[in-house]
Amino acid sequence: MTTDGQTRRFGGLTLEHDREWDYELDRIADAVEERDVETIGLQFPQGLKRQAPGVADDITDYVDRDVTALISGQPCYGACDVDMQLARQTDLFVHFGHTAMSESEGIIYVPLYSNVDPSPIIDEALAEFPDELDELGLVTTAQHVHRLEEMREQIEAAGYTVHTRKGAERLSREGQVLGCNYASADLPVDQLLYVGGGQFHPVGLAMEHPDKDVVIADPVNNLVTDATAEEFIKQRYGAVHRAMDAETWGVVYCTKIGQGRFERAQEIVANNDDAYLITTDEVTPDRLRSFGLDAYVNTGCPRVTTDDGAQFPAPLLTPGEYEIAVGNKPLDSLSFDTFHGTW
Amino acid sequence: MTTDGQTRRFGGLTLEHDREWDYELDRIADAVEERDVETIGLQFPQGLKRQAPGVADDITDYVDRDVTALISGQPCYGACDVDMQLARQTDLFVHFGHTAMSESEGIIYVPLYSNVDPSPIIDEALAEFPDELDELGLVTTAQHVHRLEEMREQIEAAGYTVHTRKGAERLSREGQVLGCNYASADLPVDQLLYVGGGQFHPVGLAMEHPDKDVVIADPVNNLVTDATAEEFIKQRYGAVHRAMDAETWGVVYCTKIGQGRFERAQEIVANNDDAYLITTDEVTPDRLRSFGLDAYVNTGCPRVTTDDGAQFPAPLLTPGEYEIAVGNKPLDSLSFDTFHGTW
């Protein structure tokens, strides 16, 4: 292995923390050597796919062997969504951008940490809390979780008691949330501080924890806002109501490795003669439209159901919402569809 | 097994030839018994997915065991496109609507034959041929291939010599064409008669055999027309020209079982430092757009390239067209990208 990787700036991923990236490149290069790798599979989330060719060049330039890089063209939205076909086809497989949900032989996870300093936006968020607030729960995403201890120290220095937890097997790091699991926010507090970019994670947080106040400190867009799930919750009730008239049901079993709840899907179908089990890797409006059924239950990613549900040709419900629609459970049992376990 | 299937009209597929369908249901039921089947996978082409719930009911009602039917929600456009993940997950797998491209243990192929009588439209087509024509080549699709001998007799009775052949391993039946293989039309004639619905197959036929006249006798839409590929061929030249400026290339290896040409893809990448190997099961504009490369080579289904190419964000070429674009072959070598072999 060459050693100039320690100083060279690699073109593949233009993150500022080159040392982190160089370290990871070494980790990949070591595995290539150790395992006599001839083919290496590379998988990136949607927003980073454009970096894939540069990363492929970095790796093939850096290692001392002839390796063929295969880049996954499958959509990818999380660590639940490992391209297992490519992983099986290649000698080594590298999944970028997410922390490991479950460690597997032959798969390297390369989380990509943000280089943005969250401390200014955390200060801004703290300034907006009422004076009487003295404790809060702190959660963040995979992109910022490497700075959790810095965040905690900053907030404690401002006089607060900070609560965090790891929460669930599915979450690899203390304080981390996923779009489908907010167990790290099961904390004895009324106030949660979410540090991270975008609306995707805090909306789920607000759905899962409707009894808590959620403040978003977004270091990427430099904004402090309140998270609310009100609009989503209204949509969920609307979808459940529309599905109450359904005579035929499609029950989707998602075949992505970290999204499969086959037993739940099979149980629904076994108890409803007008329900049909449909298997697919991507749960999209087009794929379900082909079947022309009255309503669908998605046992795969709950965020497809809650965030994209309105785009589907018929009501798309979570398993819990299905139980309400067919009268097995009361309307007020409606809650966020958390994913447990790994695979 | 119950025997009333012989007389009962099943609701699943509303084809008129119930005897054919009943026979197939018996074939499925026998396999369920013989193999102690608990889970059965069902796969339908796009246009028949709406029938899937009815067919699932037919099967589960008809067999004497508790079986769970799993319906594939993956897109499916041919026998090249077997949902292998579902096939592996189920005890028995039934692929509807296509003839077998390759026989596999545990997979039953149920071709669905059209009940439309093609003889009136064949008579109409023959009436339009010039008097001096005395021989022609006859080809048809999987939906009509069960009537090939009837067609031959009708055309011979009208005074023509009729040529047919099986052509290729990929084609399971004499006289059959696929969208990616027209070897059954490699016949010592200038005139081809294609009996079948739609434009999809005859356009490919005209691209593959530009030296022959192709007349379409369409018994479904009751039309006689000439097939021409002129517009498609112009588009192909256009795409090749636009790709000549490309600096970076994505080379798509399609992971569908009957569409994989990995060695061809790998060969291109090995000889071009600016080409990157991308693996995917569906070759769609969205999936390629994520990578932002200048041009793409599709080693998967050639009909995605020729028929849908204009919808892609950058030029999408067949492997042969790529060789022209990079200067390895002359422009006049442009030809239809035939798929050989099975898997």
Side-chain angles (χ1 to χ4, degrees):
Chain A
M1 189 193 318
T2 61
T3 51
D4 63 345
Q6 300 305 321
T7 51
R8 184 182 151 200
R9 290 186 68 88
F10 286 94
L13 282 163
T14 54
L15 299 177
E16 278 177 27
H17 48 288
D18 275 0
R19 284 198 57 195
E20 186 75 36
W21 172 241
D22 291 347
Y23 164 75
E24 300 289 350
L25 192 57
D26 284 342
R27 187 151 66 105
I28 296 166
D30 287 348
V32 166
E33 282 299 321
E34 272 165 28
R35 303 181 201 183
D36 282 342
V37 166
E38 292 180 2
T39 55
I40 181 166
L42 307 175
Q43 187 180 24
F44 295 82
Q46 291 312 87
L48 288 172
K49 279 196 162 61
R50 211 164 266 262
Q51 313 292 340
V55 172
D57 282 342
D58 283 355
I59 294 171
T60 49
D61 289 354
Y62 189 61
V63 300
D64 275 347
R65 303 170 55 95
D66 255 353
V67 296
T68 300
L70 286 79
I71 300 165
S72 173
Q74 302 293 115
C76 174
Y77 297 97
C80 53
D81 195 358
V82 178
D83 185 342
M84 292 307 295
Q85 186 166 358
L86 185 54
R88 285 188 201 102
Q89 200 194 333
T90 46
D91 301 325
L92 178 67
F93 187 79
V94 188
H95 180 102
F96 291 87
H98 303 116
T99 53
M101 186 168 284
S102 173
E103 295 292 347
S104 314
E105 182 74 24
I107 300 182
I108 293 179
Y109 291 84
V110 178
L112 298 172
Y113 301 122
S114 170
N115 51 36
V116 176
D117 175 9
S119 65
I121 201 73
I122 290 175
D123 274 338
E124 213 172 291
L126 297 179
E128 293 190 16
F129 285 129
D131 287 345
E132 61 271 24
L133 187 76
D134 58 4
E135 61 176 356
L136 53 78
L138 173 66
V139 293
T140 186
T141 64
Q143 278 67 54
H144 303 280
V145 77
H146 60 303
R147 296 201 192 228
L148 190 79
E149 286 314 307
E150 282 175 44
M151 297 179 199
R152 182 202 307 278
E153 284 165 22
Q154 178 187 358
I155 301 166
E156 283 177 349
Y160 297 88
T161 302
V162 178
H163 297 262
T164 61
R165 69 191 288 257
K166 182 166 175 293
E169 188 191 7
R170 197 171 179 86
L171 304 167
S172 63
R173 303 278 289 265
E174 172 101 11
Q176 184 186 3
V177 292
L178 291 176
C180 59
N181 190 305
Y182 296 91
S184 58
D186 286 338
L187 298 165
V189 295
D190 297 322
Q191 181 67 56
L192 293 172
L193 178 65
Y194 162 86
V195 180
Q199 287 289 324
F200 176 75
H201 289 98
V203 160
L205 194 53
M207 283 195 278
E208 171 78 0
H209 295 285
D211 52 319
K212 298 186 197 297
D213 282 329
V214 180
V215 163
I216 306 170
D218 180 341
V220 180
N221 300 297
N222 205 33
L223 282 172
V224 175
T225 47
D226 291 319
T228 169
E230 219 171 294
E231 198 185 319
F232 277 97
I233 290 170
K234 271 189 203 159
Q235 280 180 14
R236 301 321 308 149
Y237 280 107
V240 170
H241 274 288
R242 282 183 292 127
M244 284 175 175
D245 297 328
E247 288 178 7
T248 57
W249 291 85
V251 181
V252 178
Y253 162 57
C254 179
T255 56
K256 286 180 192 281
I257 190 161
Q259 295 185 15
R261 291 188 288 191
F262 184 66
E263 283 169 21
R264 191 76 191 82
Q266 199 176 24
E267 186 192 335
I268 294 172
V269 171
N271 290 297
N272 184 338
D273 284 346
D274 300 310
Y276 301 92
L277 213 163
I278 296 169
T279 71
T280 184
D281 57 352
E282 303 294 328
V283 183
T284 66
D286 275 354
R287 292 200 182 177
L288 298 191
R289 186 176 290 114
S290 307
F291 293 101
L293 297 164
D294 295 337
Y296 297 87
V297 189
N298 181 15
T299 66
C301 176
R303 300 307 293 272
V304 170
T305 312
T306 55
D307 297 31
D308 304 337
Q311 296 165 32
F312 281 73
L316 179 67
L317 305 187
T318 67
E321 291 166 351
Y322 165 81
E323 298 297 342
I324 299 172
V326 298
N328 293 345
K329 288 197 177 164
L331 194 58
D332 64 9
S333 71
L334 194 143
S335 65
F336 183 68
D337 181 26
T338 297
F339 244 89
H340 300 285
T342 60
W343 59 80
Chain B
M1 187 195 318
T2 63
T3 52
D4 64 345
Q6 301 305 321
T7 52
R8 182 183 153 200
R9 290 186 70 87
F10 285 93
L13 280 163
T14 55
L15 299 176
E16 280 178 25
H17 49 286
D18 275 1
R19 286 197 55 193
E20 186 76 36
W21 174 241
D22 290 348
Y23 164 74
E24 301 288 350
L25 193 56
D26 284 344
R27 188 151 67 104
I28 296 166
D30 287 349
V32 167
E33 283 299 323
E34 273 164 29
R35 304 180 200 183
D36 284 343
V37 165
E38 292 180 4
T39 55
I40 181 166
L42 307 175
Q43 187 182 24
F44 296 83
Q46 292 311 87
L48 288 171
K49 279 197 162 61
R50 211 163 266 262
Q51 312 293 339
V55 172
D57 282 342
D58 283 356
I59 294 172
T60 48
D61 289 354
Y62 188 61
V63 300
D64 275 347
R65 304 170 55 94
D66 257 353
V67 296
T68 300
L70 287 79
I71 301 165
S72 172
Q74 302 293 114
C76 174
Y77 297 98
C80 52
D81 195 357
V82 178
D83 185 342
M84 293 307 297
Q85 186 167 359
L86 185 53
R88 285 191 202 101
Q89 200 194 333
T90 48
D91 301 326
L92 178 67
F93 187 79
V94 188
H95 180 101
F96 291 88
H98 303 118
T99 53
M101 186 168 285
S102 173
E103 295 292 348
S104 313
E105 183 73 26
I107 300 183
I108 293 179
Y109 291 84
V110 178
L112 299 172
Y113 299 124
S114 170
N115 51 37
V116 176
D117 176 8
S119 65
I121 202 72
I122 290 175
D123 274 339
E124 214 173 289
L126 297 179
E128 292 190 16
F129 285 130
D131 287 345
E132 61 274 22
L133 187 75
D134 57 4
E135 62 177 356
L136 52 78
L138 174 66
V139 294
T140 186
T141 64
Q143 277 66 54
H144 303 280
V145 77
H146 60 301
R147 295 201 194 228
L148 189 79
E149 287 314 306
E150 282 175 44
M151 296 179 200
R152 183 203 305 280
E153 285 165 22
Q154 178 189 357
I155 301 166
E156 284 177 348
Y160 297 88
T161 302
V162 177
H163 297 262
T164 62
R165 67 191 289 255
K166 182 166 175 294
E169 190 193 5
R170 197 169 177 87
L171 304 166
S172 63
R173 302 278 291 264
E174 172 102 12
Q176 184 187 4
V177 291
L178 292 175
C180 59
N181 190 305
Y182 296 91
S184 59
D186 286 338
L187 299 166
V189 295
D190 297 322
Q191 181 67 56
L192 293 171
L193 178 64
Y194 162 86
V195 180
Q199 288 288 324
F200 176 74
H201 289 98
V203 161
L205 194 52
M207 282 194 279
E208 170 77 1
H209 296 285
D211 52 320
K212 298 184 197 296
D213 282 330
V214 180
V215 163
I216 306 170
D218 181 341
V220 179
N221 300 299
N222 206 33
L223 282 173
V224 176
T225 47
D226 291 317
T228 171
E230 219 171 295
E231 197 185 319
F232 277 98
I233 290 172
K234 269 189 207 158
Q235 280 180 12
R236 300 321 310 149
Y237 279 108
V240 170
H241 274 289
R242 281 183 291 127
M244 285 176 175
D245 297 329
E247 288 178 8
T248 56
W249 291 85
V251 181
V252 178
Y253 162 58
C254 178
T255 56
K256 288 180 190 281
I257 189 161
Q259 295 185 17
R261 292 188 287 191
F262 183 65
E263 284 170 19
R264 191 78 191 81
Q266 200 176 22
E267 185 193 334
I268 294 172
V269 171
N271 290 296
N272 184 338
D273 283 348
D274 300 309
Y276 301 92
L277 214 162
I278 296 169
T279 70
T280 183
D281 58 351
E282 303 294 328
V283 183
T284 65
D286 275 354
R287 292 201 182 177
L288 297 192
R289 186 175 292 114
S290 308
F291 293 101
L293 297 164
D294 295 337
Y296 296 88
V297 189
N298 180 15
T299 66
C301 176
R303 300 307 295 271
V304 169
T305 312
T306 55
D307 297 32
D308 304 338
Q311 297 164 32
F312 282 73
L316 179 67
L317 304 188
T318 66
E321 291 166 351
Y322 164 80
E323 298 297 342
I324 298 172
V326 296
N328 293 343
K329 286 194 178 167
L331 195 58
D332 64 9
S333 71
L334 193 143
S335 65
F336 183 68
D337 181 26
T338 299
F339 243 89
H340 300 285
T342 60
W343 59 79

